């Protein structure tokens, strides 16, 4: 037996027939909703200047520090396979003069993204994201608009057991004050926190709040909360957001230690998780399905004027896994009316011509081309539950005729080749 020489790269997926049934449901639902909300589509390149992400997402983030796929072009440029979509959309906003469009600009995108992560359940190295961004708007109602879009999205995908976690991480001035206090607190636990957090404390201290290690969690639990350090403007933004969120009637929980793995966020951040137990009595697991928030400084960081903005993105594979697992949509077998049975070379040419005609008339067929024996072809026709077989053997081919066999009854008639379509339509 021959041995397969290649495997797909670790952390990537092949999407096959059934996957695309769910893939299309997710994509079409998302597209329908965002277009209803008047978002316009944008597709940015898969390759971008690596510096875009170093500046936008932040040099000292896992995404840029460890997970970016970079390559050097022959011209010497360093490009990166995009790890996320917000920075490229902001780059495009500036580069294409979208400031001239009616503001705020509402954009949506969908495509593959790449992160060199440790593969695990729901975590891939190539994954698909769909996202929305509202650029140049400061109103907290815009956060609500985005949440409303994603609540509708999850509802239409029939996904239950979800919860939104929200927090505000303020502006750079609130963060400056908070980071100092947090640093003092964590320093007193320097010996107890994990090695990773020791580094994070020095390089990107807010990320400590996101540590999953139990010993760090118990220390973080008693740390000061950023919410108590918000300046009056950030506080009133968050209060207004909460008041509006209460009207949406969607379960949410305030998580004072929620932070995000990307440095560009300011003020409101949120994540929608699926909560479920793997087994009866098992531990509750949380998987982030949709994540986002406000990023009021990003465009300025990329060279534009100060332009407040907000957005969010979902991970397609995670939703696809839920749709499959929960059997929320059942693939329908598409009805094929006609099976083409052929025997011999002359028949092959006649069948190819017939295929053209059937296509033109939009009569769905399945051809037996590639299968030699009559028995194998009829067996497949049976399996596909077709209504009719059109059989062209050596004899029929030479006489320019086709045998139409009604599968249910096993009855058959011989008709002239040019009358086949007419005969099928009659039935
Ligand atoms: P993110 O949290 O890094 O945010 O990713 C958004 C979503 O993509 C996650 O909630 C998750 O569902 C999915 N995702 C992330 N990484 C993976 C992975 N390795 N494998 C499978 N799915 C994954 C962003 O990327 C921001 N750009 C979102 C945003 C848009 N913020 C504002 N606008």
């Amino acid at each position: 037996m021959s041995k397969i020489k290649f495997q797909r790269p670790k952390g990537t997926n092949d999407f096959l027939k059934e996957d695309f049934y769910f893939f299309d449901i997710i994509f079409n639902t998302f597209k329908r909703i965002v277009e209803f909300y008047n978002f316009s589509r944008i597709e940015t390149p898969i390759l971008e200047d690596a510096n875009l992400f170093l500046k936008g997402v932040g040099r000292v983030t896992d995404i840029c520090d460890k997970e970016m796929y970079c390559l050097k072009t022959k011209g010497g440029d360093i490009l990166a396979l995009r790890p996320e979509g917000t920075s490229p959309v902001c780059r495009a906003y500036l580069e294409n003069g979208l400031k001239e469009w009616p503001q705020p600009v509402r954009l949506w995108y969908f495509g593959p993204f790449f992160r060199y992560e440790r593969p695990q359940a729901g975590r891939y190295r190539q994954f698909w994201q769909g996202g929305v961004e509202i650029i140049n708007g400061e109103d907290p109602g815009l956060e609500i608009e985005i949440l409303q879009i994603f609540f509708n999205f999850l509802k239409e995908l029939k996904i239950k057991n979800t919860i939104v976690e929200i927090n505000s991480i303020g502006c750079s001035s609130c963060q400056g004050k908070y980071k100092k206090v947090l640093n003092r607190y964590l320093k007193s636990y320097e010996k107890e926190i994990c090695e990773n957090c020791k580094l994070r404390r020095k390089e990107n201290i807010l990320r400590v709040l996101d540590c999953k290690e139990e010993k760090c969690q118990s220390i973080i639990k008693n740390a000061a909360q950023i919410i108590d350090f918000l300046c009056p403007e950030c506080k009133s933004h968050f209060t207004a957001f909460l008041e509006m969120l209460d009207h949406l009637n969607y379960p949410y929980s305030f998580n004072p230690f929620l932070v995000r793995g990307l440095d560009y966020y300011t003020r409101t951040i949120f994540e929608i998780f699926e909560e479920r137990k793997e087994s009866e009595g098992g531990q509750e697991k949380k998987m982030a399905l949709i994540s986002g928030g406000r990023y009021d400084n990003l465009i300025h960081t990329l060279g534009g004027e100060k332009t407040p903005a907000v957005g969010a993105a979902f991970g397609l594979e995670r939703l696809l896994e839920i749709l499959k697992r929960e059997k929320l949509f059942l693939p329908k077998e598409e009805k094929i009316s006609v099976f083409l049975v052929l025997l011999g070379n002359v028949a092959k040419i006649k069948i190819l011509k017939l295929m053209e005609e059937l296509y033109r008339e939009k009569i769905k067929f399945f051809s037996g081309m590639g299968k030699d024996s009559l028995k194998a072809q009829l067996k497949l026709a049976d399996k596909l539950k077709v209504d009719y077989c059109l059989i062209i053997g050596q004899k029929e081919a030479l006489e320019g005729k086709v045998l139409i066999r009604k599968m249910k009854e096993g009855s058959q008639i011989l008709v002239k080749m040019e009358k086949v379509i007419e005969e099928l339509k009659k039935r």
Side-chain angles (χ1 to χ4, degrees), residues 197-243:
C197 282
K198 280 184 187 137
L199 261 178
R200 286 179 184 143
R201 185 177 75 77
K202 294 196 178 114
E203 295 185 332
N204 194 350
I205 190 161
L206 289 185
R207 298 292 302 149
V208 174
L209 303 179
D210 206 21
C211 182
K212 303 285 177 287
E213 295 266 337
E214 227 168 86
K215 55 182 178 183
C216 298
Q217 281 280 319
S218 64
I219 294 166
I220 292 158
K221 202 167 72 202
N222 298 314
Q225 303 180 355
I226 192 160
I227 194 84
D228 295 321
F229 291 77
L230 297 187
C231 64
E233 292 77 25
C234 289
K235 196 181 246 171
S236 76
H237 185 98
F238 194 49
T239 312
F241 164 74
L242 288 177
E243 277 168 7

Side-chain angles (χ1 to χ4, degrees), residues 21-59:
Y21 172 73
F22 297 109
F23 189 109
D24 289 348
I25 288 177
I26 296 168
F27 174 77
N28 292 333
T29 307
F30 181 62
K31 181 171 186 286
R32 182 167 40 75
I33 297 175
V34 290
E35 285 181 346
F36 186 88
Y37 276 80
N38 292 307
F39 281 67
S40 59
R41 191 170 186 177
I42 177 167
E43 280 307 329
T44 57
I46 285 176
L47 282 170
E48 291 271 2
D49 183 334
N51 277 316
L52 170 67
F53 302 106
L54 294 178
K55 267 208 165 267
V57 175
R59 199 172 289 273

Side-chain angles (χ1 to χ4, degrees), residues 11 57 63 67 83-88 109 113-118 120-134 146 260-262 264-265 270-272 287-295 309-319:
V57 175
I63 292 182
E67 299 170 357
E84 64 101 34
T86 310
S87 317
Y109 52 89
F113 291 84
F114 305 83
R115 294 182 193 172
Y116 190 76
E117 300 208 65
R118 201 152 51 85
Q120 46 184 289
R123 179 151 303 192
Y124 304 103
R125 289 183 174 171
Q126 177 178 336
F127 56 96
W128 292 73
Q129 267 190 3
V132 291
E133 312 291 352
I134 306 182
I146 285 179
R260 304 271 297 112
L262 305 99
Y264 50 62
Y265 289 109
F270 49 83
E271 283 201 270
I272 307 183
M287 176 74 81
L289 305 179
I290 298 155
S291 317
R294 189 161 268 291
Y295 49 94
V310 57
F314 70 88
L316 173 118
E317 287 79 357
R318 296 183 183 185
L319 299 182

Side-chain angles (χ1 to χ4, degrees), residues 28-298:
N28 292 333
T29 307
F30 181 62
K31 181 171 186 286
R32 182 167 40 75
I33 297 175
V34 290
E35 285 181 346
F36 186 88
Y37 276 80
N38 292 307
F39 281 67
S40 59
R41 191 170 186 177
I42 177 167
E43 280 307 329
T44 57
I46 285 176
L47 282 170
E48 291 271 2
D49 183 334
N51 277 316
L52 170 67
F53 302 106
L54 294 178
K55 267 208 165 267
V57 175
R59 199 172 289 273
V60 198
T61 54
D62 284 352
I63 292 182
C64 284
D65 190 28
K66 304 185 197 127
E67 299 170 357
M68 210 146 67
Y69 285 90
C70 290
L71 61 95
K72 197 170 174 183
T73 65
K74 283 184 184 154
D77 297 328
I78 308 286
L79 301 182
L81 288 179
R82 59 183 188 185
E84 64 101 34
T86 310
S87 317
V89 167
C90 289
R91 189 236 351 107
Y93 175 88
L94 291 170
E95 196 171 339
N96 298 291
L98 268 54
K99 182 88 215 277
E100 302 309 315
W101 291 15
Q103 305 290 305
V105 172
R106 289 173 169 80
L107 301 167
W108 73 276
Y109 52 89
F110 180 82
F113 291 84
F114 305 83
R115 294 182 193 172
Y116 190 76
E117 300 208 65
R118 201 152 51 85
Q120 46 184 289
R123 179 151 303 192
Y124 304 103
R125 289 183 174 171
Q126 177 178 336
F127 56 96
W128 292 73
Q129 267 190 3
V132 291
E133 312 291 352
I134 306 182
I135 302 179
N136 206 4
E138 199 170 13
D139 199 307
L142 298 174
E143 276 95 312
I144 300 292
E145 180 174 326
I146 285 179
L147 283 171
Q148 199 180 83
I149 285 174
F150 282 109
F151 293 162
N152 282 327
F153 180 52
L154 290 174
K155 196 166 145 200
E156 290 180 29
L157 291 178
K158 306 185 203 170
I159 294 177
K160 296 201 177 94
N161 301 330
T162 54
I163 178 120
V164 199
E165 287 193 5
I166 53 158
N167 193 14
S168 172
I169 53 167
C171 59
S172 31
S173 132
C174 320
Q175 283 182 23
K177 288 182 204 135
Y178 176 65
K179 282 177 184 171
K180 272 192 200 142
V181 174
L182 185 62
N183 188 37
R184 225 176 301 132
Y185 173 76
L186 290 173
K187 217 169 167 183
S188 61
Y189 288 99
E190 180 70 4
K191 289 212 179 78
E192 282 109 295
I193 57 177
C194 73
E195 288 308 308
N196 244 337
C197 282
K198 280 184 187 137
L199 261 178
R200 286 179 184 143
R201 185 177 75 77
K202 294 196 178 114
E203 295 185 332
N204 194 350
I205 190 161
L206 289 185
R207 298 292 302 149
V208 174
L209 303 179
D210 206 21
C211 182
K212 303 285 177 287
E213 295 266 337
E214 227 168 86
K215 55 182 178 183
C216 298
Q217 281 280 319
S218 64
I219 294 166
I220 292 158
K221 202 167 72 202
N222 298 314
Q225 303 180 355
I226 192 160
I227 194 84
D228 295 321
F229 291 77
L230 297 187
C231 64
E233 292 77 25
C234 289
K235 196 181 246 171
S236 76
H237 185 98
F238 194 49
T239 312
F241 164 74
L242 288 177
E243 277 168 7
M244 288 187 255
L245 185 59
D246 281 333
H247 287 287
L248 278 194
N249 257 339
Y250 196 91
Y252 77 87
S253 96
F254 167 60
N255 176 355
F257 298 115
L258 181 71
V259 281
R260 304 271 297 112
L262 305 99
D263 279 358
Y264 50 62
Y265 289 109
T266 52
R267 293 190 167 174
T268 326
I269 52 169
F270 49 83
E271 283 201 270
I272 307 183
F273 295 94
E274 185 202 22
E275 293 184 308
R276 86 182 174 102
K277 286 195 175 116
E278 203 108 274
S279 57
E280 211 39 58
Q283 252 204 340
E284 190 108 317
K285 283 203 157 188
K286 263 173 47 174
M287 176 74 81
L289 305 179
I290 298 155
S291 317
R294 189 161 268 291
Y295 49 94
D296 292 345
N297 300 331
L298 178 56

